[in-house]
Amino acid sequence: MERRRFFDLWIDVYVPGRWYLAEPATSSGEEIEDPWMFSAGRPVAAPGPLRIPIFKPGKPLDIEFAGVGNTPIVNERVASVVTVHRIGLVEEEPGTR
């Protein structure tokens, strides 16, 4: 049986000069209807490319949570680790795989 690990990740608001990201939007700039869908712990149908406006400019972080829905945003390095090691960032509901 494959061993699966899950992580509860949070931002460090005490990083000096860090950036803050605003609400995700569609590629055409429209509001996401349910910004909480990305952090609800359920599989989500890909909504297409997203735009993530910068709320407060600063140093980019490896992982950030954007807007009121805490949409997880990761850089390419983190995405490659998650992909290569099949790390679950949120727990899947039973029977979804």
Side-chain angles (χ1 to χ4, degrees), residues 6 10 24 26 31 39-40 43 47 59-60 68 89 95:
F6 298 93
W10 294 96
T26 65
E31 243 180 49
S39 58
K59 177 184 174 186
V68 69
L89 293 179

Side-chain angles (χ1 to χ4, degrees), residues 12-62:
D12 184 351
V13 296
Y14 300 107
V15 173
R18 65 174 294 253
W19 70 355
Y20 289 86
L21 302 176
E23 296 296 329
T26 65
S27 59
S28 60
E30 297 173 29
E31 243 180 49
I32 300 292
E33 186 175 321
D34 178 12
W36 294 274
M37 70 180 171
F38 301 110
S39 58
R42 296 185 306 271
V44 175
L50 297 176
R51 295 178 64 209
I52 313 296
I54 296 174
F55 177 73
K56 180 180 176 186
K59 177 184 174 186
L61 302 177
D62 291 337

